[in-house]
Amino acid sequence: MNPSNPPPGPSTPQIEELVNKHYNATIQELRKPHDHLMIVRVKPDAEVPSFSGGQYTTLGLGSWESRVDGGPLAELPKPKLIRRAYSISCPMLDAQGNLLANDQIDYLEFYITLVLRPDSDDPPLTPRLFSLKEGDRLHLGKKPVGTYTLKPIQSDDNVIFAGTGTGEAPHNSMSVELLKRGHTGKIVSMTCVRYKGDLGYLDQQDQLQKQFSNYRYAAFTTREPENIDQNHPQYVGKQYLQDIIHPEKFQEQFGWTPNPEQTHVFLCGNPSMIGLPEKDEQGTLVFPQPKGMVELLSEQGYQLTTAKNPGNIHFEKYW
């Protein structure tokens, strides 16, 4: 393609028509812990839809929108709305440090990582989302959906949330939902990220731990100096959730040992962390290697939830 003669894109009237047709929400607030991580609050034009902690909806922008990296846009036959599903997160606490339930806010909050994939016939959304600023318009799905919720949880059950990166998002709203309704069982939310700077909700999590004796939060990293430099005075090696879920490690970290008869585990994030089994040619379930959380938990007596059989291992296919 000759840069001085780019293919004609949609005209301004076309764009205005598409924006009016598809965009139904506004960026109310936007915070970037760093250039590749965003916490964004989206206010719909209509009433904020009700949702249960753990559910998701879609965000969307036109293929004509600019990318944060200034990369070239895809040469599509016609402009299209790019939509992707995102779990709904939660602010967790208000300005006074009180629990902020899902039905007390007039926006939906999302926790998003920038993925700088080149434009193609299937253009990426996040490079466009990261070019937005407060007051900008976008598409928001009308109805949150999903079955990754707290529906099977009883008030005295112990609950473990395990997420990687922005897979922590649904666990934030689920944790607040449990605490708000006076959950009496133990709650652990643990997450694994590359760097401490990738923890967008650390302040809120610390405050929750101080307020609720049955709530514990822990974050583990893989690329900090203490993870990779054996000469570091606090060297711990790379820390993965698969290591922490072993009973003795979990006891050391959180002060109690989970009992499969009274504990539910929720998994969201990297598929390698979750480790779902797949059927081979003979129809036998085969777990991936190295072992993921599902296999490790199954060895401890937990049961994977399926469409036909409820269990106490729940998962969200995050990508």
Side-chain angles (χ1 to χ4, degrees), residues 14-246:
Q14 283 180 302
I15 291 176
E16 290 179 353
E17 182 179 353
L18 290 165
V19 164
N20 291 333
K21 177 180 179 181
H22 294 295
Y23 290 7
N24 60 353
T26 302
I27 300 294
Q28 179 171 296
E29 187 174 329
L30 189 153
R31 176 168 68 89
K32 292 181 180 177
H34 58 69
D35 289 344
H36 286 234
L37 190 63
M38 170 195 292
I39 297 173
V40 59
R41 295 176 178 178
V42 180
K43 182 176 177 61
D45 296 341
E47 185 177 354
V48 178
S50 61
F51 70 97
S52 297
Q55 290 190 310
Y56 65 89
T57 189
T58 56
L59 296 177
L61 286 169
S63 59
W64 58 86
E65 300 286 5
S66 62
R67 295 171 53 111
V68 70
D69 59 349
L73 306 184
E75 299 178 22
L76 303 175
K78 60 180 181 179
K80 61 184 285 188
L81 182 68
I82 309 165
R83 290 185 291 186
R84 299 288 186 272
Y86 293 97
S87 293
I88 303 170
S89 188
C90 179
M92 308 188 82
L93 298 167
D94 63 19
Q96 288 72 43
N98 300 313
L99 281 177
L100 195 55
N102 299 335
D103 58 0
Q104 294 177 288
I105 53 179
D106 63 351
Y107 54 82
L108 296 182
E109 183 162 297
F110 300 91
Y111 190 32
I112 302 171
T113 297
L114 173 62
V115 180
L116 288 174
R117 182 167 58 81
D119 258 24
S120 63
D121 291 342
D122 182 26
L125 178 60
T126 60
R128 293 166 169 83
L129 287 175
F130 273 72
S131 70
L132 296 175
K133 59 185 183 300
E134 292 179 6
D136 283 346
R137 301 278 291 164
L138 75 167
H139 168 84
L140 175 68
K142 294 182 179 180
K143 183 179 180 182
V145 295
T147 58
Y148 186 70
T149 67
L150 298 169
K151 186 176 180 180
I153 304 303
Q154 302 298 313
S155 63
D156 59 348
D157 286 339
N158 298 323
V159 181
I160 300 171
F161 298 114
T164 58
T166 53
E168 182 182 2
H171 300 159
N172 292 340
S173 59
M174 296 165 91
S175 295
V176 169
E177 188 171 315
L178 285 175
L179 293 170
K180 193 72 175 180
R181 68 193 195 192
H183 190 77
T184 58
K186 296 180 176 66
I187 307 168
V188 161
S189 181
M190 57 182 186
T191 186
C192 182
V193 294
R194 295 176 300 173
Y195 301 100
K196 294 173 185 175
D198 296 326
L199 298 169
Y201 289 87
L202 189 56
D203 289 345
Q204 294 97 313
Q205 297 286 7
D206 285 343
Q207 290 183 60
L208 281 182
Q209 290 191 99
K210 293 173 182 177
Q211 289 187 39
F212 298 92
S213 60
N214 63 332
Y215 182 79
R216 292 291 306 280
Y217 176 80
F220 305 93
T221 59
T222 60
R223 297 191 186 180
E224 292 287 352
E226 62 266 29
N227 303 126
I228 57 180
D229 180 4
Q230 295 187 21
N231 296 317
H232 193 281
Q234 283 83 45
Y235 177 74
V236 293
K238 293 187 177 182
Q239 296 183 296
Y240 295 99
L241 301 183
Q242 296 94 306
D243 303 319
I244 307 302
I245 202 61
H246 288 282

